[in-house]
């Protein structure tokens, strides 16, 4: 195993101790800054120089081995949601990943490649590209002799001005599981507005979604490939109170718009098979 500091790039990638003493990579480009914890290969920060932070992280989050970080981009693998006797949302987000490589590209972007140790029967990598936008590519190879079925999700928490100010477009006409109501629905809204607890898994969608945030004067665009599910989540008041690692008053400042392959969109790879999910998040001023 290499020492993560081997991968420092002067002026662009520094390895530091973050919250809870956990190691993190601090990244600087001409356009943006970012932070990625090796714990979970978890992007906890991305900020363009002219904008508020893109990602929300709870002030109540734990930063400890074996515990998920509340905010940023948890990497969900190999299952999504609760599983009896096993960690919710899989083990990838509570495992220390290895930093395998960093690179400064000719266009000024910085790439960091992480690998998940101890994954049995598969090889799992996350490539993070920090530039004017934030790009994450989760690549999974089945190294076993049997079919391998799994779920994935890049469970992205966005920082927003206020939950009642934003709307989310791109999902109209898409079928979804409403995990709050326990029903199956079809999205009727061209622009989704949130005014209560929302926990929806949209299926069979590769669509780009956008979060319009007039409070910040910002538009966030989430473009993806290799992902057929989109999850929209805000815990609202009562659920926030039940989550020990999330402040009671934080729900208005965040929304999760997650790209993945979950439930009936789970992936099955034959022996030697390879799957890549790529998500590019860009942002800019709201058109006036
Ligand atoms: C969402 C799920 O993706 O993640 C929700 O759809 C869940 O049901 C939420 O509550 C947060 O999960 P966790 O395990 O990080 O508290």
């Amino acid at each position: 195993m290499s020492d993560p500091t081997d991968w420092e790039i002067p002026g662009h990638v520094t390895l530091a101790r973050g919250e809870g003493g956990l190691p993190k990579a601090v990244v600087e480009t001409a356009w943006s800054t970012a932070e990625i914890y090796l714990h979970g290969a978890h992007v906890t920060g991305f900020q363009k120089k002219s904008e508020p932070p893109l990602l929300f992280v709870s002030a109540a989050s734990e930063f400890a081995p074996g515990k998920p970080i509340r905010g940023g981009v948890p990497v969900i693998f190999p299952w999504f949601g609760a599983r009896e006797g096993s960690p919710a949302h899989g083990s990838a987000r509570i495992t220390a990943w290895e930093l395998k490589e960093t690179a400064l590209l000719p266009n000024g972007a910085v790439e960091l490649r992480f690998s998940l140790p101890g994954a049995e029967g598969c090889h799992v990598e996350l490539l993070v590209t920090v530039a004017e936008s934030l790009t994450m590519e989760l690549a999974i190879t089945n190294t076993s002799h049997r079919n391998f079925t799994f779920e994935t999700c890049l469970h992205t928490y966005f920082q927003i001005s206020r939950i009642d100010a934003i709307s989310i477009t791109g999902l109209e006409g898409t079928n979804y599981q409403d995990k709050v109501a326990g029903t199956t629905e079809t999205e009727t809204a061209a622009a989704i507005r949130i005014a209560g607890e929302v926990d929806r898994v949209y299926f069979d969608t590769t669509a780009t979604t956008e979060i319009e945030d007039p409070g910040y004067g910002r538009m966030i665009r989430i473009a993806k490939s290799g992902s057929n599910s989109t999850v929209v989540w805000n815990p609202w008041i009562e659920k926030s109170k039940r989550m020990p690692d999330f402040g009671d008053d934080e729900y208005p400042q965040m929304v999760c718009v997650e790209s993945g392959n979950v439930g009936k969109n789970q992936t099955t790879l034959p022996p030697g098979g390879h799957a890549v999910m790529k998500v590019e998040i860009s942002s800019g001023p709201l058109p006036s």
Side-chain angles (χ1 to χ4, degrees), residues 70 80 88-89 93 155 179 199 231 233 239 258:
R70 176 71 68 195
F80 178 85
H89 282 331
R93 67 172 178 168
H155 189 309
K179 289 169 73 177
D199 191 354
V231 181
W233 181 61
K239 181 149 184 165
E258 313 165 25

Side-chain angles (χ1 to χ4, degrees), residues 89-165:
H89 282 331
S91 48
R93 67 172 178 168
I94 54 170
T95 301
W97 292 48
E98 289 171 10
L99 179 57
K100 289 290 189 189
E101 197 176 12
T102 58
L104 175 63
L105 305 186
N107 65 4
V110 171
E111 277 186 357
L112 303 96
R113 192 162 56 83
F114 299 87
S115 163
L116 177 65
E120 266 178 44
C122 60
H123 183 72
V124 182
E125 285 195 349
L126 183 75
L127 181 69
V128 180
T129 307
V130 181
E132 193 173 5
S133 59
L134 171 68
T135 306
M136 292 163 289
E137 259 182 87
L138 183 63
I140 294 149
T141 307
N142 180 1
T143 54
S144 78
H145 298 291
R146 318 168 164 203
N147 283 351
F148 175 42
T149 298
F150 55 88
E151 295 171 290
T152 51
C153 191
L154 293 169
H155 189 309
T156 312
Y157 289 71
F158 291 99
Q159 178 167 315
I160 52 173
S161 62
R162 273 197 67 83
I163 192 72
D164 54 12

Side-chain angles (χ1 to χ4, degrees), residues 237-286:
I237 298 166
E238 294 309 321
K239 181 149 184 165
S240 296
K241 290 184 186 159
R242 293 196 300 272
M243 295 194 298
D245 59 347
F246 188 84
D248 292 358
D249 302 325
E250 289 183 313
Y251 73 90
Q253 304 158 34
M254 58 71 67
V255 68
C256 285
V257 178
E258 313 165 25
S259 304
N261 291 294
V262 312
K264 65 174 179 167
N265 292 141
Q266 68 184 8
T267 305
T268 297
L269 288 178
H274 184 66
V276 179
M277 170 167 71
K278 180 172 177 177
V279 179
E280 180 177 7
I281 303 167
S282 52
S283 60
L286 256 186

Side-chain angles (χ1 to χ4, degrees), residues 2-273:
S2 60
D3 180 337
T5 56
D6 292 349
W7 297 114
E8 293 193 320
I9 303 176
H12 294 286
V13 180
T14 311
L15 269 292
R17 294 269 152 207
E19 301 282 336
L22 297 176
K24 65 177 181 183
V26 180
V27 183
E28 173 103 36
T29 71
W31 310 276
S32 59
T33 53
E35 288 194 350
I36 307 150
Y37 278 73
L38 274 64
H39 180 67
H42 198 126
V43 181
T44 53
F46 176 83
Q47 183 167 17
K48 280 172 70 174
K49 292 195 169 162
S50 53
E51 287 187 18
L54 185 78
L55 302 175
F56 165 89
V57 178
S58 170
S61 177
E62 303 212 53
F63 285 83
K67 298 282 173 64
I69 295 170
R70 176 71 68 195
V73 190
V75 177
I76 308 302
F77 172 85
W79 61 83
F80 178 85
R83 183 171 282 198
E84 187 73 34
S86 296
H89 282 331
S91 48
R93 67 172 178 168
I94 54 170
T95 301
W97 292 48
E98 289 171 10
L99 179 57
K100 289 290 189 189
E101 197 176 12
T102 58
L104 175 63
L105 305 186
N107 65 4
V110 171
E111 277 186 357
L112 303 96
R113 192 162 56 83
F114 299 87
S115 163
L116 177 65
E120 266 178 44
C122 60
H123 183 72
V124 182
E125 285 195 349
L126 183 75
L127 181 69
V128 180
T129 307
V130 181
E132 193 173 5
S133 59
L134 171 68
T135 306
M136 292 163 289
E137 259 182 87
L138 183 63
I140 294 149
T141 307
N142 180 1
T143 54
S144 78
H145 298 291
R146 318 168 164 203
N147 283 351
F148 175 42
T149 298
F150 55 88
E151 295 171 290
T152 51
C153 191
L154 293 169
H155 189 309
T156 312
Y157 289 71
F158 291 99
Q159 178 167 315
I160 52 173
S161 62
R162 273 197 67 83
I163 192 72
D164 54 12
I166 65 139
S167 55
I168 302 165
T169 57
L171 294 165
E172 188 180 14
T174 306
N175 291 331
Y176 67 92
Q177 177 192 3
D178 184 330
K179 289 169 73 177
V180 177
T183 55
T184 301
E185 310 283 347
T186 301
E187 184 58 67
T188 54
I192 300 165
R193 300 195 65 104
I194 296 177
E197 184 182 352
V198 169
D199 191 354
R200 297 180 184 172
V201 182
Y202 291 85
F203 294 109
D204 303 321
T205 176
T206 56
T208 295
T209 46
E210 290 185 338
I211 304 171
E212 194 178 302
D213 185 347
Y216 278 166
R218 175 161 77 179
M219 172 83 94
I220 299 171
R221 177 170 293 122
I222 305 139
K224 60 181 192 164
S225 61
S227 157
N228 292 306
S229 316
T230 296
V231 181
V232 177
W233 181 61
N234 181 287
W236 212 253
I237 298 166
E238 294 309 321
K239 181 149 184 165
S240 296
K241 290 184 186 159
R242 293 196 300 272
M243 295 194 298
D245 59 347
F246 188 84
D248 292 358
D249 302 325
E250 289 183 313
Y251 73 90
Q253 304 158 34
M254 58 71 67
V255 68
C256 285
V257 178
E258 313 165 25
S259 304
N261 291 294
V262 312
K264 65 174 179 167
N265 292 141
Q266 68 184 8
T267 305
T268 297
L269 288 178

